[in-house]
Amino acid sequence: MSTVAINHQAPETAAPPLLTDTAIDGMAAYEALVNEARSDRTGFWARLAREHLSWHRPFTKVLDESNAPFFKWFDDGLLNASYNCLDRHLHDGNANKTAIIFEADDGSVTTITYRQLHARVCRLANALRARGIVCGDRVMIYLPMSIEGVVAMQACARIGALHSVVFGGFSAKSLHERMVDVGAVAVITADEQMRGGKNLPLKSVVDEALKMAGTDGIHTVIVYRRTGGSILWDEPRDCWLHELEAAQPDTCEPEWVGAEHPLFVLYTSGSTGTPKGVQHSTAGYLLWAAVTMKWTFDLRTDDVYWCTADIGWITGHSYICYGPTAVGATQVIFEGVPTWPDAGRFWEMIARHKVSIFYTAPTAIRSLIKAAETNSGVHPRRFDLDSLRLLGTVGEPINPSAWEWFAREVGGGRCPVLDTFWQTETGGHMITPLPGATPLVAGSCTLPLPGIEAAIVDETGCELPNGQGGLLVVKEPWPSMLRAIWGNPQRFRSGYYPADLGGKLYLAGDGAIRDAQTGYFTITGRIDDVLNVSGHRMGTMEIESALAAHPLVAEAAVVGRPDETIGEAIVAFVVLKGPRPQGTEARQLADQLRAWVGKEIGPIAKPKEIRFGDSMPKTRSGKVVRRLLRSVAKGETLAQDMSTVENPAVLRQFGHHE
């Protein structure tokens, strides 16, 4: 952990200009940047780092590959992420510019300028220091979508504490696992959150997690009063956010940290069932968040940008908390759901706030297509969407029909639709069209950004020709790549730089194919046991483990099947310790198991379908044959080779719905 304690003073390098003409305005400009990166890789990244970040002490080293794949970027430079996102706007004419337009679940709107946001972050940063939280400590954040969420993340960054944000839909058990793994000393949460007109608990979930073993190191719980709902209180551990802030000054000297100092740890599902703590560095991560805001979104000074993600996911980190603030953008943050109070909510908000850049998930688009087809009153054509000039999608590949509807009905045929491919691990966009430059193709994320050397290889690491599908890899390191899996260097190395591929290629975990003529990339799906449910990554092993922990369950296997609304639906095959249930008993038990999984992991992990059998289809060595279960889940005729399956007849038991 590279922290540096020095006297606090202004950075030696002047703040770079923010929203200058940084767009890539054509394929010639794109190709020039690609060639620059290929001909002088370290010079390319050094130029971007000097142009887009403010450094307290300039770096002299660009890339250290001596301990590959544990790469280091700009390692001897000093900076602070919060300073880069806030302080420099106080001196560049943007202090009074609106930073955030926050719309709550009930439609009430709050705005905050960069000057006001800076003051709030400083007050909370001072409060964290007053509670004994220091540089290098880890702070859990379990908050609703809110200005407070951005304030909490930036306040941690300001004092050099690492934040670990957990999505508000996760259970106490999931929260507890992450608390213990990261070694948290504090939690920032709220009494409740509002979603779709309902009050949902947060503080009580934290209380439940803190009753479990291994949480003795957490000495502070800071509570944002969101609803005023009744909660339990533990004095002096628990304290109100508004009271802490009120007692502190609105200036706070930032902690200047080394470029490789971890900014945050964000947990994501893995194929082994244990969540992975993806660790990102300060400089490399922030650089790419800022650069991609400008390149991908062609950001201009008068834009109103809206990303509908949650801060509990990487999209909310990169394209809500850090990217927009690093470049001085005005953004909308939304607390609710797209179908409350009706399915016209997104379109009404775009019209009212004059949103010009709209970034959302294919899952949301597909659900709103269905709503528009059945209720003309919520169709986007009923709203004034003329302010829009750019549309983007994130979280999963978008199918061509949804892409075309989005472009036609929301964008009016005039707005580029950017299908962005990237991951929690990459920190920012990797393969994406560029507005005004890349010719668009529905369903394709098109070409890698300059500096990203993506390729498709076979299982031995040999590059494949265009038109042939294989494994998506990145051939060269880049600054925003994850630095580690928290506390598990072996899992990092084997999972992302596997020996089977030579140990030098970053394995994305997705399959892909390049068009034979254009070279455009299309993502074909995960190659491991990770499902993409409504844009959220869920490990099948994690769900299987939760089901197997139920006292009635002997064995469980989980697979995904295509779903036209949510992308992939979770299908669970369950063998009970007792007899296989039928009829009403099976339906009741399936509901019971869904509720169990919701409690163990969170509502997003509940299987859409549960099927019961007397035993699992297994090889003679005892391995569950999941490829056959995937076919059963999809309703396919079983024409596959079953010679290695010891008991193929059991598949008939699972062939009927619960």
Side-chain angles (χ1 to χ4, degrees):
M1 203 173 292
S2 55
T3 64
V4 182
I6 62 171
N7 59 329
H8 298 298
Q9 48 187 293
E12 294 179 8
T13 56
L18 297 177
L19 297 180
T20 54
D21 183 14
T22 56
I24 300 175
D25 57 7
M27 286 304 289
Y30 165 79
E31 289 166 1
L33 286 169
V34 170
N35 290 333
E36 178 192 352
R38 285 176 177 165
S39 62
D40 182 6
R41 181 158 49 105
T42 58
F44 171 79
W45 290 114
R47 177 178 68 79
L48 292 182
R50 293 186 181 106
E51 290 179 358
H52 295 274
L53 295 180
S54 294
W55 294 87
H56 181 77
R57 185 178 74 197
F59 59 89
T60 62
K61 303 174 184 176
V62 182
L63 171 61
D64 180 354
E65 301 180 85
S66 61
N67 189 30
F70 299 93
F71 303 103
K72 295 181 180 180
W73 288 87
F74 322 118
D75 191 32
D76 60 343
L78 299 180
L79 77 169
N80 180 274
S82 174
Y83 181 96
N84 271 271
C85 293
L86 300 174
D87 296 60
R88 58 183 181 176
H89 304 312
L90 305 186
H91 311 294
D92 63 10
N94 285 315
N96 295 318
K97 181 179 180 178
T98 299
I100 297 170
I101 303 166
F102 171 67
E103 181 157 328
D105 188 66
D106 63 2
S108 59
V109 176
T110 305
T111 63
I112 187 170
T113 66
Y114 274 97
R115 187 188 306 279
Q116 293 166 331
L117 183 60
H118 173 267
R120 284 209 56 190
V121 167
C122 286
R123 288 197 293 269
L124 180 54
N126 287 326
L128 293 175
R129 281 176 171 161
R131 296 287 297 194
I133 298 165
V134 299
C135 183
D137 280 347
R138 278 80 68 200
V139 177
M140 305 300 298
I141 297 177
Y142 190 62
L143 283 169
M145 285 302 295
S146 56
I147 293 173
E148 283 69 22
V150 174
V151 168
M153 295 166 75
Q154 293 271 355
C156 290
R158 194 164 192 87
I159 66 170
L162 290 63
H163 58 69
S164 187
V165 184
V166 177
F167 174 59
F170 275 123
S171 68
K173 182 174 182 292
S174 295
L175 179 61
H176 169 261
E177 288 174 346
R178 290 155 174 78
M179 285 176 174
V180 173
D181 189 73
V182 83
V185 300
V187 182
I188 304 176
T189 188
D191 49 5
E192 295 176 313
Q193 60 180 328
M194 295 291 298
R195 286 182 67 84
K198 299 176 182 177
N199 291 31
L200 301 173
L202 287 177
K203 172 62 163 58
S204 63
V205 177
V206 172
D207 290 340
E208 185 181 349
L210 290 177
K211 291 177 183 176
M212 302 178 192
T215 60
D216 293 345
I218 295 179
H219 57 71
T220 294
V221 176
I222 299 172
V223 186
Y224 160 46
R225 182 179 282 161
R226 169 63 186 91
T227 66
S230 177
I231 56 175
L232 298 177
W233 202 254
D234 184 338
E235 196 86 36
R237 183 197 69 188
D238 297 349
C239 42
W240 289 111
L241 173 65
H242 62 276
E243 292 180 354
L244 286 180
E245 283 191 15
Q248 297 295 333
D250 58 7
T251 59
C252 174
E253 290 296 328
E255 187 79 22
W256 305 110
V257 298
E260 282 296 316
H261 177 71
L263 180 60
F264 62 84
V265 176
L266 180 60
Y267 284 83
T268 184
S269 291
S271 57
T272 66
T274 307
K276 299 179 292 188
V278 172
Q279 177 184 318
H280 275 289
S281 70
T282 297
Y285 169 83
L286 188 63
L287 169 64
W288 201 228
V291 169
T292 51
M293 279 297 301
K294 298 174 183 180
W295 282 357
T296 306
F297 297 122
D298 181 31
L299 203 68
R300 304 171 187 172
T301 54
D302 57 350
D303 275 319
V304 177
Y305 161 89
W306 182 17
C307 170
T308 67
D310 191 283
I311 58 169
W313 310 112
I314 188 62
T315 305
H317 283 54
S318 301
Y319 298 113
I320 293 178
C321 180
Y322 289 110
T325 55
V327 298
T330 294
Q331 67 171 318
V332 173
I333 293 181
F334 176 49
E335 178 183 38
V337 295
T339 53
W340 173 265
D342 59 47
R345 181 69 179 270
F346 275 5
W347 322 132
E348 188 273 334
M349 285 181 61
I350 290 170
R352 183 157 39 84
H353 297 303
K354 301 300 179 187
V355 172
S356 54
I357 302 171
F358 183 56
Y359 193 38
T360 195
T363 296
I365 296 167
R366 290 191 294 265
S367 67
L368 295 174
I369 291 173
K370 188 176 293 186
E373 289 173 347
T374 57
N375 179 3
S376 61
V378 299
H379 197 287
R381 283 188 298 229
R382 298 290 299 271
F383 301 85
D384 179 6
L385 305 182
D386 287 348
S387 61
L388 287 172
R389 68 177 187 86
L390 196 66
L391 304 173
T393 66
V394 61
E396 59 183 305
I398 183 169
N399 55 297
S401 61
W403 189 100
E404 290 164 0
W405 183 91
F406 195 33
R408 181 181 65 252
E409 305 297 344
V410 180
R414 70 183 187 283
C415 299
V417 176
L418 311 177
D419 176 2
T420 63
F421 169 79
W422 59 297
Q423 304 172 309
T424 302
E425 293 88 345
T426 72
H429 301 149
M430 298 291 281
I431 308 175
T432 177
L434 294 170
T438 316
L440 302 176
V441 172
S444 172
C445 50
T446 69
L447 296 171
L449 288 174
I452 305 301
E453 289 294 329
I456 296 174
V457 302
D458 64 16
E459 288 78 3
T460 65
C462 294
E463 194 159 348
L464 295 171
N466 290 359
Q468 191 170 332
L471 309 177
L472 179 64
V473 299
V474 182
K475 298 190 290 184
E476 300 286 354
W478 71 99
S480 71
M481 63 195 299
L482 80 162
R483 293 302 191 265
I485 296 300
W486 183 263
N488 198 334
Q490 180 54 40
R491 189 177 184 186
F492 168 79
R493 186 188 292 272
S494 62
Y496 297 107
Y497 293 88
D500 290 349
L501 300 183
K504 295 182 179 180
L505 299 175
Y506 168 83
L507 178 64
D510 285 282
I513 188 169
R514 297 192 75 169
D515 184 84
Q517 279 72 48
T518 63
Y520 279 12
F521 285 77
T522 296
I523 306 302
T524 56
R526 296 292 299 176
I527 61 172
D528 55 15
D529 291 324
V530 176
L531 308 180
N532 198 321
V533 183
S534 297
H536 307 320
R537 280 172 57 173
M538 298 301 306
T540 57
M541 186 68 71
E542 190 174 6
I543 304 169
E544 288 174 7
S545 298
L547 285 166
H550 190 281
L552 298 180
V553 174
E555 195 171 10
V558 170
V559 300
R561 64 166 168 77
D563 185 281
E564 64 178 16
T565 300
I566 61 174
E568 276 189 291
I570 300 170
V571 181
F573 296 87
V574 173
V575 176
L576 300 176
K577 294 176 180 176
R580 175 161 55 106
Q582 305 286 343
T584 301
E585 182 188 2
R587 288 190 290 273
Q588 291 174 343
L589 184 54
D591 289 341
Q592 181 182 339
L593 292 177
R594 285 192 191 93
W596 173 270
V597 172
K599 186 175 186 302
E600 289 288 295
I601 302 175
I604 58 174
K606 290 182 179 180
K608 188 168 186 177
E609 188 179 342
I610 296 179
R611 304 188 188 191
F612 296 99
D614 291 326
S615 60
M616 290 289 178
K618 295 181 179 180
T619 64
R620 290 173 179 81
S621 62
K623 184 177 180 180
V624 175
V625 188
R626 283 177 171 78
R627 61 179 172 85
L628 296 177
L629 293 178
R630 291 189 189 98
S631 292
V632 171
K634 295 174 185 177
E636 297 173 344
T637 301
L638 293 176
Q640 304 178 44
D641 175 28
M642 287 191 277
S643 60
T644 62
V645 182
E646 186 175 34
N647 51 349
V650 303
L651 290 165
R652 288 196 292 270
Q653 301 169 3
F654 289 121
H656 302 285
H657 290 243
E658 63 206 31

